[in-house]
Amino acid sequence: MTRFIIIRLLQTVIALIGIAVLIFVMVRLSGDPIDLLRSATSTPEEIENLQRQLGLDKSNLEQFWIFATGLVQGDFGESLLKRRPVADMIKDALPNSLRLTVPAFVISMVLALALGVLAATRRDTFLDNGVKFVAILGQSIPGFWMAIMAMLLFAVILEWLPTAGMGGPDHYVMPVGTMAFFMLPGMMRLVRSGMLDVLDSEYIKLARIKGLPERIIIWKHALRNAIIAPLTTAGMIMAGLIMGAVITEIIFNWPGMGRLMLEAVYARDFPVVQACTLLIAVMVLGMNLLVDITYAYVDPQIRYEKS
Amino acid sequence: MLSIMPNIEDKTRPKISGLSRRAHIMRSLTCIVPLTILSLLVLTAIFAPWLAPHDPIKVSMTERRLPPVFMEGGSTKYILGTDHLGRDVLSRAIYGARISLSVSLLVIAITASVGTILGIAAGYIGGRTEAFLMRFTDISMSFPPLVLAMLLSVILGPGYITVVLALSVLGWAPYARLIRGEALRIRNSDFVSQARVSGASPMRIMIKHIFPNVINPLIIVMTMAVGFMILAEAGLSFLGIGIPPPDPSWGSMVADGRGDIDRAWWITTFPGILIGMVVMSGNFFGDWLRDKMDPRLRQL
């Protein structure tokens, strides 16, 4: 088990280094930020000064060394555009993103568990077909379109909610709803199919024969095992969640990580793009690592064979 | 484990009771209706120049934001109205089918081929090759696709090729994972050992023995990817990093109407309905195909 964790940890670190190099190279391929920062009248000396200030006069290898050593020390560099430490910008934006993501995640998780279990235990009934249909509907309708339609209905026609921006509690309704809409269908399907597999198993039959109340069988014995299998896809769910967050923030003009990232890409603000992308990669890889270890702990078959 | 059960259910069900018969009809409807819609989409894409009443990119400043025919002020000239530049929404939607369909099919062809080759190689050869390929797959799966698409559109400039590339560069990873799992399972089966004992080369085993046995799951996943890729292309075009204007993509049409949502709802609404309908058809058909061909894959 220790061996497995060490190998997995090493692999994650290697993957992270790979991603860091990849991002560094790709961001630099995307063009010279000086083109966007200088004015039309800038003299060559001014441009040179600018380059020196921003550390862009050094060779790519040196720039990478500064970037990498900074990372290890928790320093993400300074934004080229805003001249602020990237760490501070992320400190401002991340809580805003979490304010949307966390409630949306909790809401969709609760709904997914409740509806997924109900659908699985009442297989092929009206409720089950309804859940299946809603799940496919949710995975088919573009979230960005849904958000605009919600704006049209609630903000333009009914005038119940504000269109966009950050503010009081009423500003949260539509963005959180949109994000939950992004997440719910996938989770619901996973819970349902996991439950269906578990309900077929021998130990559930045994629990029934033992005469346990159906409520305990389903919500305690079955559900616990049913959510283990979907856990393996947690990394992919994370990636989807991030995509949903970016689109939601852009539509509702929310000052979070997604908007920070999109704006930084267009402005070729290298340090910001690098930091945001790495942060996302760390979250996704960390999630995968955690899931793999939990999974190996629960199910010994997964552990690496001694080779 | 569950592989035979649903088929037995299918065969016995219609004879038992009326309710089951209804369920059976419903199930075949989830195949017929989506197939019809998808066929219509293909036909629309092929015959777009003959079907579209107007030039999809012709700007007409005097006829901006005309409402669709069923509203006051609408005319039969522009059945679904016009957008903020006076372009015919219907014609743009018809030409948009070409982009949606061709992008998604091209991306699926690329990602499925690459993913299958790498997946079979990893699953059959094993050892270091497998460890390396699977770590590579992990990296690809944890790289945020949106970031890659943004970077690519800045490096290469937005365009058709950029979109296909952005969706393909990471899109092969899920195929590689799935196919590797299947290849691992098949590798240990008797017929593969038999082939190995008879002296078949690894290349021959992979092509002649493993590949034919992963075709079923491959087709299922490819079918399910159609909707997903159409959605992804629309999403990129919506964010302005997909198909550049003035070419009509359903995603950019939704974005075009975003600012006019309070006075010209039809610009945004119609392309969105189209995306939803087509993607849903793809998903329903994919589900149906999976239940028929390989219910083991239900978790996908």
Side-chain angles (χ1 to χ4, degrees), chain A residues 140 145 152 189 197 262 266, chain B residues 2 150 241 268 283 287 298:
Chain A
S140 308
W145 181 75
L152 175 64
R189 289 181 90 168
D197 282 346
L262 192 69
Y266 286 130
Chain B
L2 281 157
M150 290 196 257
I241 49 182
T268 294
N283 289 346
D287 266 19
R298 210 173 41 201

Side-chain angles (χ1 to χ4, degrees), chain A residues 233-266:
Chain A
T233 55
M236 276 170 81
I237 292 179
M238 277 282 280
L241 201 145
I242 290 160
M243 176 105 175
V246 172
I247 290 182
T248 308
E249 282 176 14
I250 287 161
I251 292 179
F252 292 103
N253 206 16
W254 194 270
M257 291 286 290
R259 241 184 56 186
L260 183 70
M261 203 160 64
L262 192 69
E263 281 166 10
V265 168
Y266 286 130

Side-chain angles (χ1 to χ4, degrees), chain A residues 118-141:
Chain A
L118 285 177
T121 49
R122 290 165 181 70
R123 201 176 175 186
D124 285 331
T125 60
F126 179 71
L127 183 90
D128 182 30
N129 287 327
V131 164
K132 270 192 290 190
F133 185 76
V134 170
I136 293 193
L137 197 74
Q139 285 183 324
S140 308
I141 295 178

Side-chain angles (χ1 to χ4, degrees), chain A residues 8 11 15 18-19 22-23 26-27 29-30 123-124 133 136-137 139-142 144-145 148-149 152 156 189-190 193-194 196-197 200 229 232 236 239 243 246-247 250-251 261-262 265-266 268 273 277 280-281 284-285 288 304, chain B residues 1-2 9 13 27 135 138-139 141-148 150-155 174 177 224 231 234-235 238-241 251 254 258 261-262 265 268-273 275-276 279-280 283-284 287 290 298-300:
Chain A
R8 227 21 218 92
Q11 284 172 342
I19 290 178
L22 207 71
I23 291 167
M26 285 199 60
V27 165
L29 278 177
S30 71
R123 201 176 175 186
D124 285 331
F133 185 76
I136 293 193
L137 197 74
Q139 285 183 324
S140 308
I141 295 178
F144 55 87
W145 181 75
I148 296 175
M149 288 297 118
L152 175 64
V156 177
R189 289 181 90 168
L190 287 175
S193 60
L196 282 179
D197 282 346
D200 268 352
T232 44
M236 276 170 81
M243 176 105 175
V246 172
I247 290 182
I250 287 161
I251 292 179
M261 203 160 64
L262 192 69
V265 168
Y266 286 130
R268 291 177 203 165
V273 179
T277 320
I280 291 175
V284 176
L285 283 175
N288 278 337
Y304 284 115
Chain B
M1 168 179 63
L2 281 157
E9 274 177 358
R13 212 181 248 167
R27 194 162 296 180
R135 245 7 79 195
D138 274 359
I139 296 180
M141 284 177 104
S142 54
F143 199 94
L146 199 57
V147 177
L148 181 88
M150 290 196 257
L151 290 175
L152 276 181
S153 88
V154 180
I155 299 171
R177 265 215 167 159
M224 296 178 109
L231 213 51
F238 173 78
L239 288 175
I241 49 182
V254 172
R258 215 180 118 197
I261 191 69
D262 46 346
W265 56 267
T268 294
T269 310
F270 292 127
I273 292 174
I275 302 172
V279 175
M280 208 185 321
N283 289 346
F284 265 116
D287 266 19
R290 180 198 53 196
R298 210 173 41 201
Q299 279 193 5
L300 291 172

